[in-house]
Amino acid sequence: MNAKVDVIIVNWNSGQLLHDLFTSLSKTTDRNLIHQLIIVDNDSVDNSIATIEANPWGLPLKIIKSKHNLGFAKACNLGAKESEQKYLLFLNPDTLLFEGSIARAMDYLENPEHKNYGACGIQLVDRLNIPNRSCARIPTFTNFVYAALGLNVIFPKVLKGILKLEWGHANTQDVGHVIGAFYLVRTEIFKKLGGFDERYFLYYEDLDFSTTLKQNNYKIAFLADTRAVHIGGGCSQKIKAKRLSYSYLSKVKYINKHFPWYERIILNFLVIFVEPVMRSVFYILQLSFKESYVSLVGYFQFVMNAFSLPTSRSKYESS
């Protein structure tokens, strides 16, 4: 394979996770496919960058240090601007790679029969090798409603939400969206379509881009026979309430961008006023009072900061 990939990793206080990721990569032949590992550091205050700057693995590292937390979408775009390779791989620092994790995904997109595929993802498993059900549909009005009311959790096989929870992720197939923890995309297409929308500070930027891919008649593949470990949560586990507030904010932004006005009214009402209540009730019924408290704190942070995120579209969008 002559094609090369630039791997974009956004770091924010990832600590040992980043070190472990590079250790896993260094043990594979996939390292030979990488032109650059571009790490965009979002003003971390831990020692995560210091632990990798010595680069004992001999990997082709390029570190971009931001003086501010740019958010995930903007940091990804900043890293992608440095690339002129055929492929971009957006990779979370809380992942561990196996032999072929990158090579097999690139092989799939290199196949001439798959020239209409814009992106692909792979089977992400936890440390016990249990698949994460992370693939999603492109959201519709109905599955947003089901998700907001929790009906997709109660009746997953009948009332389907955005995540494909009813499917065991055991076979390779076309999907609406693959999780951004491992998101391989053709660089030319990524830049042509404007990159990630920087109005999303955290969450939904990958789903938004998958939506744009689909709107431009590109397919997305999920490869069940190629694996990587996704620990999940990463450093955001330390800020669960804030993480939830960003999720609400991004969901509202997605709704207001992609739905007609009459559906936006209903969906915004559900997300802003109904979903937080349903979430807290769900935790209380499970006797998870701490999670219920975190849910309420996250909701109030969302309300207080609803209009505080960046409004710029993308570094790739023409004026």
Side-chain angles (χ1 to χ4, degrees):
M1 185 191 299
N2 295 321
K4 291 279 188 176
V5 62
D6 279 332
V7 180
I8 313 296
I9 300 170
V10 176
N11 178 63
W12 184 76
N13 298 326
S14 299
Q16 187 66 27
L17 292 171
L18 203 57
H19 184 280
D20 293 343
L21 166 59
F22 292 153
T23 299
S24 73
L25 176 59
S26 69
K27 296 176 181 178
T28 73
T29 58
D30 286 16
R31 62 183 295 166
N32 299 323
L33 297 171
I34 297 173
H35 174 255
Q36 288 187 111
L37 278 161
I38 303 171
I39 299 92
V40 182
D41 184 68
N42 263 341
D43 193 29
S44 296
V45 295
D46 68 349
N47 67 341
S48 50
I49 291 298
T51 63
I52 66 166
E53 281 184 310
N55 193 10
W57 315 275
L59 295 168
L61 299 184
K62 180 180 179 65
I63 300 174
I64 301 172
K65 296 180 180 180
S66 172
K67 295 181 180 179
H68 308 282
N69 190 340
L70 303 174
F72 186 78
K74 191 171 185 177
C76 282
N77 287 346
L78 181 62
K81 285 179 64 179
E82 301 292 320
S83 177
E84 296 181 356
Q85 301 307 306
K86 189 173 183 179
Y87 296 105
L88 289 169
L89 172 60
F90 296 98
L91 189 66
N92 277 15
D94 61 337
T95 53
L96 300 170
L97 300 180
F98 298 115
E99 180 67 38
S101 294
I102 298 175
R104 291 171 190 162
M106 289 178 64
D107 280 341
Y108 189 90
L109 293 184
E110 280 287 279
N111 187 330
E113 295 180 1
H114 300 150
K115 62 182 180 180
N116 58 337
Y117 284 79
C120 73
I122 65 175
Q123 180 78 266
L124 298 176
V125 300
D126 63 17
R127 291 187 183 273
L128 299 177
N129 203 33
I130 298 173
N132 297 321
R133 299 191 181 188
S134 54
C135 293
R137 302 170 177 84
I138 298 302
T140 64
F141 175 80
T142 53
N143 57 37
F144 251 131
V145 170
Y146 296 153
L149 298 176
L151 297 176
N152 62 307
V153 177
I154 301 172
F155 309 106
K157 294 185 178 181
V158 180
L159 305 179
K160 298 174 181 177
I162 297 166
L163 285 175
K164 295 173 70 71
L165 298 176
E166 78 287 351
W167 170 51
H169 291 48
N171 56 297
T172 294
Q173 64 174 251
D174 293 355
V175 295
H177 170 60
V178 290
I179 187 173
F182 185 109
Y183 197 97
L184 181 68
V185 62
R186 300 183 193 273
T187 305
E188 180 182 8
I189 293 174
F190 183 79
K191 293 186 176 183
K192 182 178 74 172
L193 297 183
F196 291 126
D197 189 335
E198 294 175 7
R199 288 174 291 186
Y200 299 98
F201 186 81
L202 184 65
Y203 301 126
Y204 276 78
E205 70 290 314
D206 53 347
L207 177 59
D208 177 84
F209 186 77
S210 291
T211 302
T212 302
L213 279 176
K214 291 291 188 176
Q215 290 169 345
N216 285 270
N217 299 314
Y218 292 109
K219 295 183 178 181
I220 299 173
F222 167 76
L223 310 182
D225 58 354
T226 304
R227 297 181 306 127
V229 172
H230 181 218
I231 297 168
C235 55
S236 65
Q237 283 289 93
K238 307 168 188 174
I239 51 167
K240 285 186 176 182
K242 183 173 288 188
R243 182 180 66 178
L244 181 59
S245 73
Y246 283 136
S247 178
Y248 282 132
L249 282 163
S250 294
K251 188 180 298 187
V252 167
K253 289 176 185 292
Y254 184 95
I255 289 168
N256 290 335
K257 178 178 178 179
H258 291 287
F259 288 86
W261 67 268
Y262 51 90
E263 292 182 345
R264 292 201 300 265
I265 293 173
I266 298 171
L267 293 178
N268 277 316
F269 175 81
L270 289 174
V271 170
I272 295 172
F273 298 107
V274 178
E275 183 176 344
V277 175
M278 297 299 295
R279 186 185 296 269
S280 291
V281 168
F282 175 76
Y283 286 132
I284 290 172
L285 290 175
Q286 289 189 318
L287 302 181
S288 300
F289 300 111
K290 181 178 179 181
E291 294 295 335
S292 179
Y293 171 76
V294 169
S295 177
L296 288 173
V297 172
Y299 171 69
F300 285 116
Q301 288 181 359
F302 156 61
V303 171
M304 292 175 63
N305 297 293
F307 303 102
S308 65
L309 297 187
T311 57
S312 62
R313 166 62 177 92
S314 167
K315 292 295 184 183
Y316 294 115
E317 185 174 72
S318 57
S319 58

